[in-house]
Amino acid sequence: MMRTNKRNILTTIRICVLCFVCALCLAPFYVALCYAFKSKSDFAHTKLAFPVHLYLGNFSDAVHLKNFFTSVENSFIVAFFVVVIIICVCSAGAYVITRRNTKFYNTIFYIFQLVILLPFQTVMFPLYKELSRIHALNTLWGLTVAVVGVNVGYYVFLYSGFIKTVPRSLEEAATIDGCSQYQTFFHIVFPLLKPITMTVTVLAFLASWNDFIISMIICQKSIKRTLPLMQFYFFGEYSSNVSVAFAAALLAMIPAVLIYFCAQKYIVEGMTAGAVKA
């Protein structure tokens, strides 16, 4: 009886802790929904209380901003090319590093991992100076190169762990059938990397779509701003438009949420592959 009561108490404590953590995670979404659907008068009087009448004017004001759709287009362009470049470069690079497995390629792999440990603030000023030298400031291609360079080490690490689970016998059979190394990778190995590729697609898209620091450093002109940077300018020195800012944030969240839900079944498999050695 005492053991049953103790188990019930522990279960109750776990549920309470989980509910508390869940509330902490959902609190920002509640605040965003609360403010986005409030008019200025409701915002002044009710603050964090959920609006009784949903006001959609904030979304209309956000969409009709001068640079809103330009920022959406910039974010999509950068995110698309970041995802494509990272998938092509990191998958091929991780394949060569994993399959060659020599001292030289292992050193390259460790260098990639050092990029993960390196804080962006340490390379922020050299990056700005180098991009200025090659006239890449206030350009989308400069932002794309910077985002890829900052994140490439992490995705090489993910691909390497997954490629180790691909049997070498498949590649040996393809070589016997006359496939070159490139044909073996693109026709045999790469199709088997679908789970980790979908994981990298989601993570790279989110990293690019939500990036603020790199965008703020490189794209300072209004015509080249991405969505996170555009939302930053809702808050001025003497005024702020909180409701419209949250409405724009909810609109900017839609593509990321859709991509995540479309690929969520691959994410856990892709993240955990290679964690346990066969």
Side-chain angles (χ1 to χ4, degrees):
M1 185 69 179
M2 291 181 63
R3 187 176 297 176
T4 303
N5 291 336
K6 185 178 180 180
R7 189 182 297 114
N8 292 336
I9 293 173
L10 291 175
T11 303
T12 303
I13 293 174
R14 290 193 192 99
I15 293 174
C16 291
V17 171
L18 289 174
C19 290
F20 177 73
V21 173
C22 184
L24 285 179
C25 295
L26 293 178
F29 295 98
Y30 171 80
V31 174
L33 289 171
C34 183
Y35 284 175
F37 287 99
K38 280 186 178 180
S39 61
K40 291 183 179 180
S41 59
D42 289 340
F43 176 76
H45 290 91
T46 58
K47 295 298 180 182
L48 287 176
F50 198 80
V52 179
H53 303 288
L54 298 182
Y55 178 71
L56 301 178
N58 295 324
F59 293 91
S60 177
D61 293 341
V63 169
H64 287 91
L65 287 173
K66 180 180 179 181
N67 294 324
F68 180 79
F69 285 108
T70 302
S71 300
V72 172
E73 182 182 357
N74 292 339
S75 292
F76 266 115
I77 291 173
V78 173
F80 174 78
F81 283 104
V82 164
V83 170
V84 171
I85 294 173
I86 280 179
I87 289 175
C88 295
V89 172
C90 294
S91 61
Y95 174 72
V96 173
I97 290 171
T98 303
R99 289 303 190 240
R100 295 292 175 86
N101 198 24
T102 61
K103 187 175 181 180
F104 172 75
Y105 287 102
N106 287 336
T107 303
I108 294 177
F109 178 76
Y110 293 137
I111 292 174
F112 275 125
Q113 303 321 300
L114 289 176
V115 176
I116 302 176
L117 303 176
L118 195 67
F120 175 72
Q121 288 77 7
T122 60
V123 299
M124 186 167 60
F125 292 108
L127 175 65
Y128 181 88
K129 186 177 180 180
E130 188 64 24
L131 291 177
S132 176
R133 188 180 67 82
I134 61 175
H135 307 288
L137 293 179
N138 293 305
T139 62
L140 296 183
W141 70 267
L143 178 59
T144 301
V145 170
V147 174
V148 170
V150 169
N151 294 285
V152 68
Y154 177 59
Y155 299 116
V156 168
F157 173 74
L158 291 182
Y159 267 114
S160 298
F162 196 95
I163 291 173
K164 289 178 182 177
T165 66
V166 177
R168 287 179 177 267
S169 57
L170 296 175
E171 301 169 47
E172 294 170 356
T175 303
I176 292 173
D177 289 338
C179 290
S180 64
Q181 187 175 11
Y182 296 101
Q183 291 173 327
T184 301
F185 173 72
F186 286 109
H187 295 292
I188 305 299
V189 178
F190 189 75
L192 298 176
L193 304 181
K194 184 178 179 181
I196 191 62
T197 298
M198 295 301 295
T199 302
V200 168
T201 298
V202 174
L203 296 178
F205 181 87
L206 292 178
S208 173
W209 187 264
N210 296 325
D211 176 75
F212 174 75
I213 297 178
I214 303 177
S215 301
M216 183 175 62
I217 294 171
I218 297 175
C219 296
Q220 299 174 357
K221 289 184 178 180
S222 59
I223 196 172
K224 296 298 181 181
R225 290 173 186 165
T226 56
L227 272 174
L229 196 58
M230 183 271 294
Q231 294 168 26
F232 173 72
Y233 287 94
F234 279 112
F235 303 94
E237 184 176 359
Y238 302 106
S239 63
S240 60
N241 199 341
V242 178
S243 297
V244 178
F246 276 110
L250 289 178
L251 292 175
M253 197 187 302
I254 294 175
V257 172
L258 290 177
I259 288 181
Y260 176 81
F261 278 111
C262 289
Q264 62 176 334
K265 67 178 181 179
Y266 298 104
I267 291 178
V268 175
E269 182 181 352
M271 292 293 289
T272 57
V276 180
K277 226 174 194 179

